[in-house]
Amino acid sequence: MDTRRKSNKDGAEKPALKKKASSIGTGGNNGNGNAGFAHRAKTDLEVMFDKYRDMTRDADERDVIWKKGIILMGEDLGVTDEVTILLLPWKLQSCLSWGIQRGEWFHGLTNAKVTSHVKLRSLFTQLKEEVGGTPEVFGEFYGYLYDFLREDRGKHMDPSIAMEYWQKLLAKRFKYLKEWTTYVETAEPFKSRGVSRDLWKQLYEFAASTESLAAHEPDGPYPVLIDDFVEWARAKK
Amino acid sequence: MDDSEYPEAEDKERLEREWDDLKTNGFNTLLTVVEGGYTKPFDHTTWMHYYTKVYNLCTHCKLGPGDPSSKAPTGILYKRFGEVLTDYLKERRISTAQSGEMLLKEVVQKWKNHKLIVKWMQRLFVYLDRYYTKHNSCDQLTEFGLKCFFNEIYSSIKIDLRNAIFKHIHRERTGENVDRSLLKDAISLFVEMGMSSLNVYSSDFEKPFLKFTEEFYEREAAQWVAEDSATEYMKKAEQRLAEEAQRAAAYLHQNSEKGLTEAVENKLLADHQRTLLEMENSGFIALLRDNRLDDIHRTYRLFSRISKGIDPIARLMYEFVTNEGKQIVSKHSNTTDLCFKAYTNDLLALHTKYKKILAEQLDNNPTFQKAVKDAFEAFVNQQLQCIVKGAAPRTPPAKVYSSELIANYCDMLMKNVVEKIGDDELEDILEQVVAVFGYISDKDLFQEFYRKQLSKRLLMTTVNEDSERSLISKLKMRQGAPYTSKLEGMITDKNVSQDLQAKFKQYQLDNGISFGFDYTMQVLTMGCWPAFPMHTLKLPDQVEGAMERFQTFYDSITQSRKLKWVHSLSTVTLDALFNKQKFQLQLSTAFQACVLLLFNNREVLTGDEIAKELTLPWEEVKKALQSLAMGKYRLLLKDVAPGAKVLKTVDETDTFRVNTGFTDKSRKLKISTVVAKVNLKASVQVQQTVEEDRRHAIEACVVRIMKSRKTMEHPLLIGECISQLSNHFKPDPRHIKKRIEDLILREYIERDPEKTSLYRYVA
């Protein structure tokens, strides 16, 4: 949670914020709906943030664009692909699951020189190119997504969520995606436990570097579950 | 001869005159005498005469005796010396048409003669040696003389001579007798032809001889291989090697022995090694199979001569012993009633057998020791399958490991010690057991089983402390102190408890306490002993009082120690009155006693009520009630609740009352507990405990390694982990990987973001 906002409620840090008001635009419209400051035209960013954040929530959570808002934003921007919309939180390095906080929004977008609706749209195109370019960058994006998509239930990610996104993210990058999907659906360990961060990340490494099942070494550094998968897949053939 | 060569005509004339005399009277006489067979041609006076002649010739010349010019008499004499010898030799050319033996004899004879002639000539002309040869770097007279032989005779007959010698040797090798001294002389000719070096011998005789020998033995070996068994072959080979060694000593130059032996070994042994070892009925495996100790010894002796000779043999031994071991394992596996005694006895017998062979036939050679060790390790760690008698059909057979079986064997030994086995015999058996124990890879499993059994022995039965300590000290020697520290702790505890007991009695007397019943306590150090289930038991007041008293006493003699009571291990003796008859009941658990005592105050109780009164879980109460109401002695009567099914076992709703009509012939009754049907449950439990311990051990090991190295590659980490834990058990790399993943999750270590196979320690 953004601690600055907390102290904002107490009113202690208002002057500092106010100073930055003109550049960031957090000016008069803070979370408390206190409109006691100078009225000036809202910037595009402000407008968008206000449009997508969830006002129905409690005070703590109002300054965040949650899942609904993100999806809505995607639709508005013409970004229909579920994966592409995720590029934004990655770029902004959002730390909440399915949530973009106020600070992250303004800070990140300003740094990216995005000040308007149109520029935001082109940002997506740019990010898409970046990520599609090298495997390393995609790997970073992919790795980041574990925490974003997790929905914070316990230590591990729900296998069904993992499966959904593996389909979307690794469709063209993982030769054995189909077998892997079957494996995850049927194998024991996934029924009782979720997908750990290590497994999530290592799966991409595995996908990127494994040419064939036969070449895989069981005593390598990959997690045991991947070894089990290879064994299972080999047996099936 | 030119007049101008001589300073004076007189001298020249004199020279010729004297020379003539020397030649005719001196040399020719010498020749005749020597060839006639005498060794001393001249007596002292004659010799002096000729010597003086030479001397005079040399010194009366105007030129100095050392003058190198050909005008000096010394030079002339020197030359003529050589000429005379050469001439006579020319006349005595040796015909090569002769047969071998004749040739040898002739050569030898001529050589001997020549040596003698040269010797005497040298004596006559020794003046030249002193003044001429030295200053003009010519050969000394002896050498010069011998060289004449070399040039005139030797060079032309050397090959024939050599072949003749070979023929002779061949005859000897094929069994005939030959004149060895003749051969020796003939061969020494070669040596002497080299003057002071062995070059002539080496190139003209030795090398061809070795080749000749190799060819011979190549043929021999081929023939033997086709006809003989391996043992026959080796006997022959051994014989031949001895023969050749003797031959070398008899007539070859001493330097040749080594080369000769090597050549023979190569042809007889090295070339055919594989064939010999793998021969069907006489190869090494067959020898082991039929326990032919002499042949085994011979094989070892012979093949240890050649380099890398014993490696293939060791390999065969490894295979054979492994097979025998595997047979033992499969013989006992998959049987009902897997008898640990028979199995262990078989193992020990196999071990003793091979230890003996190693010591007696194989000279305790390290290569073989390793082969046997590897073989044992290969099969001792296999799983055996035990079919449980009376288990439901289609239950998979239980898996048992050698560690458990050997632990059971030790248990049996310790228990039987008092009765059957003598001290020395026991020591011997224990040595063997510990040796076989050394081959087990999951030693921690053995320790766990042993610990459980030891605790039972210490607590329930009497124990022969000497034999226990003996076995423990042997284990300690093998594994180190930490392995046996818990075991030793347990024995110490028992002794300490006895002390404590005495002290407690004293304390009671001192403080005038008495309980009205006998009470003994044993204090066990937690951690040494295996985990016991703890129960809260409501004991009768008197007993609780005693417990409190003991607690006070114990606190008074120790500091900051906490006592936890383990009631499941207690035994109780009660006096009971049934039907006006007094009985003494020996109960196996305190639970049984407490159940019975409840009925002192109550007529009837249900199972449920009993459990509540005693604050015990139903499982325990059930066991106790079963032994009291449905065992051999029915002390309690069971009534089933109305409407409930009658079961073979006991139910919570059943009611119990005292069997007032109980009677029995004997007055002392032992009430045992219900024995668990399947002992395998306990074994599985132990295996689980050990599994858990291993998990912790692996984790601790990984963290330790990472902490000191900071970063490490995956395969190195696994390898390091395995080697550090090898003393206790052999971890599966998969398990290590699982632990690593767990540690990553708990953020003890992390993966390097650049390189998947590199781990980092997280501080």
Side-chain angles (χ1 to χ4, degrees), chain B residues 329 333 379-385 399-402:
Chain B
V329 169
S333 182
F379 66 79
V380 140
N381 291 308
Q382 282 188 329
Q383 253 178 24
L384 293 113
Q385 297 198 316
K399 295 187 185 159
V400 180
Y401 288 94
S402 292

Side-chain angles (χ1 to χ4, degrees), chain A residues 117-140:
Chain A
H117 201 251
V118 171
K119 286 208 182 137
L120 184 58
R121 210 183 269 191
S122 58
L123 176 67
F124 275 99
T125 329
Q126 180 198 334
L127 287 175
K128 224 173 162 180
E129 257 179 58
E130 229 178 274
V131 152
T134 49
E136 281 87 37
V137 180
F138 182 82
E140 252 185 62

Side-chain angles (χ1 to χ4, degrees), chain B residues 30 51 78 84 163 288 299 309 334 431 537 610 733 752 763:
Chain B
L30 172 63
Y51 172 78
Y78 186 78
V84 121
N163 288 342
L288 286 174
T299 315
N334 260 327
E431 284 284 346
L537 175 61
I610 297 177
D752 185 286

Side-chain angles (χ1 to χ4, degrees), chain A residues 156 198 202 205 218-224 227-228, chain B residues 714 733-734 737-738 741 744-746 751 756-757 759:
Chain A
H156 294 159
D198 195 44
Q202 292 303 100
E205 288 288 331
D219 286 334
Y222 291 110
V224 173
D227 289 338
D228 286 344
Chain B
H714 175 91
R734 256 183 74 103
K737 261 226 259 189
K738 274 216 176 92
E741 275 175 52
I744 292 178
L745 196 64
R746 281 147 56 195
R751 289 187 199 263
T756 321
S757 59
Y759 298 109

Side-chain angles (χ1 to χ4, degrees), chain B residues 185-199:
Chain B
D185 290 333
I187 292 174
S188 58
L189 169 62
F190 287 91
V191 178
E192 287 167 39
M193 281 288 99
M195 309 301 162
S196 44
S197 85
L198 285 172
N199 290 343

